[in-house]
Amino acid sequence: ETQGRTDRTIAKWLKESGIDREKVILATKVCGNSDRLTWFRKDGEGTKVNYDQIIESVDASLERLGVDYIDLLQIHWPDRYVPLFGANRYDASKETESSPFSEQVRAMGDLIKAGKIRHYGLSNETPYGTMAFVQAAKELGVPPPISIQNSYSLLVREFESGLSEVCSERHENIGLLAYSPLAGGVLTEKYANPKSYSDSSRLNIIPGYKERYDGSMAPAAVAAYADVARKHGMTPAEFALAFCKSRTFVPSTIIGATTLEQLKENVGAFNREWTEDMEKDVNEVSARFPEPWRTPQRGGG
């Protein structure tokens, strides 16, 4: 019953604020492959990233938003099998039939030609998938993806070991829109004391999240980064966000605040200068905790 509510809320704000549409960048997503998400499509079936569903998704978003075009349409997660959300070891036995890259790119090209979207991007994608989209775009004469929205933070830096090469300005020039820059909130250090957070906190409501966190080196890494932040006169949250902003491959960092105080702290972080001493201190902590959140996972990893 909440599906589409964000679009309608933004539509209301656009109308009531009277802001010039050209001054607003609207980004949205089309669902990845899921048999469980049966409430997004008119036929009541699960979601696929095929031509028809991409078109249907955009038309529905445009209607809810009350606008003529979307600036950035992203594929939320791949249509094909990819180890996601904790699992990070590829299992070839789980490969299934999926929508061809060419079909997905063709839909994006037609939407661009129709003026319904201006650009498209990827999300939760791999080096293989990113290059496959780029190659399909070249073969079809369609503009390539311009962005990739993957998890990236002081604790999760997998992007640097493959995707950073693919996405570099010299190569495919695809910008990383870093999501979860506070690693689900843990980099704020609010979980340092188990008694200080409620049962409704993210660490508790997501199944297996707390066990995964407590069973890794992440708590020790968070404490070390928090000490570095205080050394440089910043809060742990400010420091974590400033780190993401300082990366040359990150044109935009995605924040999510639940209070006005958090929002002010998050926005303020982007005005902080990143220094060589900060970089040196981060490298020192990273050398001690190179993959702090890596633990055995269901699904491999």
Side-chain angles (χ1 to χ4, degrees):
E1 63 185 43
T2 62
Q3 189 269 324
R5 186 175 293 174
T6 299
D7 283 352
R8 287 185 282 271
T9 299
I10 292 175
K12 184 174 184 289
W13 174 77
L14 286 171
K15 182 178 180 180
E16 294 180 353
S17 68
I19 192 170
D20 185 351
R21 171 67 183 88
E22 289 293 326
K23 293 183 178 180
V24 178
I25 297 177
L26 281 178
T28 189
K29 293 177 178 177
V30 56
C31 289
N33 189 339
S34 175
D35 293 332
R36 298 182 296 106
L37 303 180
T38 58
W39 54 89
F40 282 94
R41 303 292 171 253
K42 293 178 180 178
D43 61 10
E45 299 293 328
T47 54
K48 293 277 294 179
V49 195
N50 57 31
Y51 185 94
D52 291 340
Q53 289 206 23
I54 292 172
I55 303 298
E56 179 185 338
S57 174
V58 169
D59 286 341
S61 283
L62 289 173
E63 182 178 355
R64 289 190 297 265
L65 287 164
V67 298
D68 297 324
Y69 67 92
I70 292 165
D71 294 279
L72 177 64
L73 176 67
Q74 301 167 95
I75 297 173
H76 201 156
W77 63 89
D79 193 70
R80 69 193 189 282
Y81 157 73
V82 172
L84 290 173
F85 312 125
N88 48 37
R89 184 172 298 159
Y90 192 82
D91 184 352
S93 69
K94 295 182 179 180
E95 294 175 350
T96 60
E97 292 297 320
S98 60
S99 301
F101 292 102
S102 58
E103 178 179 346
Q104 298 173 64
V105 170
R106 181 167 60 88
M108 298 300 180
D110 287 351
L111 286 167
I112 292 173
K113 288 180 182 177
K116 294 182 178 181
I117 68 171
R118 292 191 169 177
H119 307 280
Y120 70 96
L122 313 173
S123 184
N124 296 298
E125 194 49 274
T126 68
Y128 164 73
T130 303
M131 285 307 305
F133 273 105
V134 170
Q135 182 62 32
K138 289 179 180 178
E139 293 174 354
L140 294 172
V142 171
I146 66 165
S147 65
I148 179 170
Q149 183 174 314
N150 278 27
S151 176
Y152 183 77
S153 68
L154 284 167
L155 296 184
V156 180
R157 299 176 65 173
E158 292 179 3
F159 183 89
E160 298 174 10
S161 61
L163 273 166
S164 58
E165 178 186 13
V166 171
C167 298
S168 75
E169 188 174 354
R170 179 184 291 272
H171 296 149
E172 305 308 330
N173 195 24
I174 299 174
L176 170 64
L177 308 183
Y179 81 77
S180 198
L182 299 179
V186 301
L187 280 166
T188 65
E189 208 184 19
K190 67 180 181 180
Y191 296 119
N193 181 358
K195 296 181 180 180
S196 67
Y197 54 94
S198 67
D199 292 338
S200 62
S201 65
R202 180 175 300 192
L203 209 61
N204 277 323
I205 62 175
I206 299 178
Y209 204 18
K210 186 176 186 301
E211 290 76 11
R212 177 187 173 196
Y213 179 67
D214 290 341
S216 70
M217 294 300 294
V222 168
Y225 284 124
D227 287 341
V228 171
R230 285 185 282 271
K231 171 185 173 182
H232 294 284
M234 301 168 71
T235 68
E238 286 175 331
F239 189 79
L241 293 172
F243 164 78
C244 287
K245 177 181 178 290
S246 71
R247 304 303 95 178
T248 58
F249 47 80
V250 179
S252 184
T253 301
I254 298 170
I255 59 174
T258 55
T259 68
L260 183 58
E261 290 72 22
Q262 289 176 349
L263 181 60
K264 290 179 179 178
E265 180 183 27
N266 289 355
V267 173
F270 298 111
N271 295 320
R272 303 301 294 261
E273 180 184 0
W274 190 259
T275 67
E276 290 184 6
D277 285 342
M278 291 177 182
E279 189 71 19
K280 179 180 178 181
D281 289 342
V282 164
N283 289 338
E284 190 276 327
V285 175
S286 179
R288 287 192 284 140
F289 307 103
E291 293 182 279
W293 214 320
R294 181 62 63 89
T295 58
Q297 294 296 306
R298 179 173 58 84

